[in-house]
């Protein structure tokens, strides 16, 4: 077998926490799954908040170089791709600098804590002409991509309604620390930006543009034990209930009705305080000729109902994703061997590098991230004003 000629592209990864781990794994594994790969991502430099943390992250995640100053990644002419895996309030500054330096950019979600920053990021990448992607990876679960395929093929007819949830329980314990995810200045919002935006992304991907919302938001746990910086352990440790407390200034729960431009209606429900739920991302989409239902906790499966099924065999049934489904040629050879979180990130890396070495087109991109922020902003205003609010148009 001859080895095809494949470009090697150097990656500078900023942030060595949960997403630093997930993205490093994806870069190492992507060519093992998708071959010939569109490019070999070279783990060139990783940046953290100190030289010491960066050196540890480089050793752990297989990077050649490390730095305690992310600006060295931007200034390095050998780096082709900047990957932003830091808390939300640093996304805009890093992304705009990276775009101005001509780097292709993968940025974690939410694109930014505010609409203004998201807009500035979108304008920067548009002006620079670099490939850009926002890491809403759940749309790259094969069963989600299969639902999209069925909808586009008209297999469930005209879409009538969307019901989406994202329920977790890692913040249900009041002794969980006041990590960056509970601080508006860092995160922008709470559950809404952190996990509600994943559902917004799925709704836009599967059904279409959202035109109006009617929302409620609530904070159940108003203060938490202080945490002195560092990565967010997602409620798992650092519990310090008897220590000094700090104010939570973000939402724990968001509920909203949705209106879509194409006439469909829907709902979104997200909380990190749902005891017993872990990564319960679900959607049920009803069409004029069928239904699809997905639950991320059973992510090899898509439940389907087609009105064209024989009347004596009607009922929701399960399709297990495998080689005959989206991304099936690169993943595992037998359905239900098991799609994991890692696979969604490997597919994300594959599509991102394919855009860099191909036609430059990938989604969700910064325009999608900006639109999602406009929807999140409308949700906040709707909850404050206790009425239906229209989503503002993209302004550039
Ligand atoms: P984390 O708290 O686990 O790690 C963040 C890391 O960034 C920490 O190690 C911290 O020291 C480092 N950091 C902070 N400021 C930095 C700077 N200026 N320069 C270099 N390093 C810096 O956070 P996590 O969970 O990895 O989240 C990062 C981003 O990824 C967030 O925007 C979050 O919303 C997103 N995320 C997305 C997920 C998805 O499913 N797509 C899952 C988890 C997080
Ligand atoms: C915590 O709620 C979190 O890590 C989110 O930040 C991610 O976006 C989600 O995918 C998993 O949960």
């Amino acid at each position: 077998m001859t080895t095809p000629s494949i470009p090697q592209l150097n990656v500078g990864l900023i942030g060595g926490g949960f997403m630093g781990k997930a993205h490093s794994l994806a870069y190492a594994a992507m060519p093992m799954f998708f071959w010939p790969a569109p490019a070999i991502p070279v783990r060139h430099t990783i940046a953290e908040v100190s030289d010491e943390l960066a050196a540890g992250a480089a050793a752990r995640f297989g990077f050649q170089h490390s730095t305690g100053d992310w600006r060295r990644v931007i200034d390095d002419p050998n780096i082709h791709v900047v990957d932003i895996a830091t808390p939300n309030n640093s996304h805009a500054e890093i992304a705009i600098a990276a775009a101005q330096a001509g780097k292709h950019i993968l940025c974690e979600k939410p694109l930014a804590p505010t609409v203004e920053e998201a807009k500035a990021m979108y304008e920067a990448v548009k002006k620079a002409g670099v490939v850009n992607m926002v890491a809403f990876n759940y749309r790259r679960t094969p069963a989600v991509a299969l639902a999209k395929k069925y909808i586009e093929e008209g297999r469930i007819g005209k879409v009538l309604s969307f019901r989406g949830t994202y329920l977790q329980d890692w913040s249900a314990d009041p002794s969980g620390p006041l990590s960056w995810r509970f601080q508006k200045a860092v995160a922008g919002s709470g559950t809404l930006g952190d996990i509600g935006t994943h559902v917004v992304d799925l709704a836009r991907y599967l059904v279409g543009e959202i035109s109006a919302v009617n929302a409620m938001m609530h904070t159940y746990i108003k203060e938490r034990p202080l945490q002195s910086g560092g990565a967010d352990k997602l409620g798992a440790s650092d519990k310090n209930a008897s220590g000094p407390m700090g104010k939570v200034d973000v939402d724990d729960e968001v509920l909203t009705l949705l209106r879509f431009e194409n006439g469909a209606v829907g709902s979104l429900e997200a909380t990190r305080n749902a005891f017993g739920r872990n990564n319960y991302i679900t959607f049920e989409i009803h069409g004029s000729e069928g239904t699809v239902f997905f639950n991320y906790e059973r992510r090899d499966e898509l439940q389907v109902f087609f009105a064209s099924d024989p009347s004596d065999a009607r009922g929701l049934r399960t399709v297990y994703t495998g080689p005959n489904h989206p991304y099936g040629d690169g993943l595992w050879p037998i359905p239900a061997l098991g799609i994991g979180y890692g696979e969604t990130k490997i597919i994300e890396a594959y599509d991102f590098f394919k855009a860099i070495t191909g036609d430059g087109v990938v989604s969700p991109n910064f325009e999608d991230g900006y639109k999602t922020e406009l929807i999140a902003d409308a949700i906040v205003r709707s909850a404050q004003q206790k009425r239906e609010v229209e989503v503002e148009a993209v302004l550039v």
Side-chain angles (χ1 to χ4, degrees):
M1 188 174 84
T2 54
T3 308
S5 157
I6 296 179
Q8 302 213 349
L9 295 178
N10 293 329
V11 178
L13 171 60
I14 303 173
F18 176 12
M19 282 308 97
K21 173 175 161 180
H23 292 204
S24 302
L25 175 77
Y27 295 138
M30 186 271 276
M32 301 179 205
F33 281 78
F34 295 99
W35 191 258
I40 307 288
V42 178
R43 282 164 285 158
H44 188 278
T45 301
I46 189 162
E48 253 293 343
V49 286
S50 69
D51 287 343
E52 197 186 350
L53 274 175
R60 181 177 178 195
F61 299 138
F63 280 76
Q64 296 166 354
H65 311 279
S66 63
T67 174
D69 178 4
W70 62 265
R71 290 192 176 277
R72 286 188 45 204
V73 170
I74 308 293
D75 292 342
D76 187 340
N78 296 311
I79 290 180
H80 306 103
V81 168
V82 170
D83 178 343
I84 305 169
T86 52
N88 312 347
N89 63 335
S90 50
H91 292 183
E93 187 184 11
I94 299 172
I96 292 167
Q100 286 167 351
K103 317 285 190 196
H104 304 299
I105 310 169
L106 174 63
C107 181
E108 263 304 339
K109 51 51 60 181
L111 187 59
T114 65
V115 168
E116 293 71 28
E117 285 168 277
K119 178 171 183 271
M121 292 167 81
Y122 168 50
E123 285 171 345
V125 292
K126 205 169 165 202
K127 184 168 175 204
V130 294
V131 175
N132 54 96
M133 187 181 199
V134 57
F136 285 114
N137 52 304
Y138 294 114
R139 45 157 103 183
R140 289 187 156 74
T141 314
V144 175
L146 180 61
K148 166 86 169 166
K149 177 173 175 282
Y150 286 158
I151 291 167
E152 282 185 347
E153 289 172 351
R155 306 272 283 272
I156 64 163
K158 179 178 157 47
V159 172
L160 306 174
S161 67
F162 169 93
R163 304 161 78 192
T165 73
Y166 198 152
L167 311 181
Q168 300 182 320
D169 74 359
W170 63 266
S171 79
D173 181 345
S175 68
L178 190 77
S179 67
W180 64 261
R181 279 186 176 79
F182 297 103
Q183 300 170 36
K184 188 170 183 204
V186 186
S189 64
T191 291
L192 170 61
D194 192 32
I195 59 175
T197 53
H198 280 296
V199 184
V200 169
D201 183 66
L202 291 174
R204 290 186 63 246
Y205 174 60
L206 294 164
V207 181
E209 217 46 82
I210 294 167
S211 55
V213 298
N214 198 338
M216 276 194 244
M217 294 171 78
H218 195 70
T219 304
Y220 301 113
I221 298 170
K222 312 246 186 244
E223 54 176 26
R224 290 179 176 274
L226 290 173
Q227 175 182 316
S228 53
D232 184 355
K233 303 273 173 41
L234 298 166
S237 60
D238 298 338
K239 291 186 182 172
N240 183 21
S242 57
M245 305 291 276
K247 188 174 175 310
V248 173
D249 56 2
V250 297
D251 52 290
D252 284 327
E253 174 123 18
V254 56
L255 305 144
T256 187
L257 298 176
L258 306 169
R259 265 186 215 287
F260 292 85
E261 279 178 6
N262 60 14
V265 293
S267 66
L268 175 163
E269 198 182 330
T271 182
R272 304 175 296 196
N273 291 53
F275 272 129
R277 297 296 184 193
N278 297 293
N279 213 50
Y280 192 72
I281 307 170
T282 69
F283 58 77
E284 181 160 313
I285 300 176
H286 301 151
S288 56
E289 291 170 41
T291 290
V292 288
F293 172 77
F294 171 77
N295 169 6
Y296 182 82
E297 292 179 359
R298 302 182 68 95
R299 62 200 155 273
D300 290 321
E301 305 173 12
L302 184 69
Q303 298 255 301
V304 298
F305 178 102
F306 299 120
S308 55
D309 285 346
S311 57
D312 64 351
R314 279 193 165 187
L316 279 169
R317 58 188 165 84
T318 304
V319 176
Y320 288 87
T321 55
N324 295 324
H325 299 119
Y327 305 108
D329 49 350
L331 298 171
W332 305 109
I334 300 173
L337 277 180
I339 294 298
Y341 185 78
E343 277 85 341
T344 70
K345 286 289 181 187
I346 291 165
I347 297 169
E348 180 173 87
Y350 170 62
D351 283 341
F352 178 55
F353 279 91
K354 212 163 49 164
I356 293 173
T357 56
D359 62 7
V361 177
V362 72
S363 62
N365 55 22
F366 281 20
E367 182 173 3
D368 294 295
Y370 171 31
K371 285 183 178 162
T372 296
E373 285 315 304
L374 286 168
I375 295 161
D377 180 65
I379 289 172
V380 172
R381 286 185 289 115
S382 166
Q384 285 168 346
Q385 296 167 18
K386 298 186 175 156
R387 64 175 182 88
E388 181 167 321
V389 162
E390 287 189 10
V391 176
E392 277 179 26
V394 166
L395 297 175
V396 177

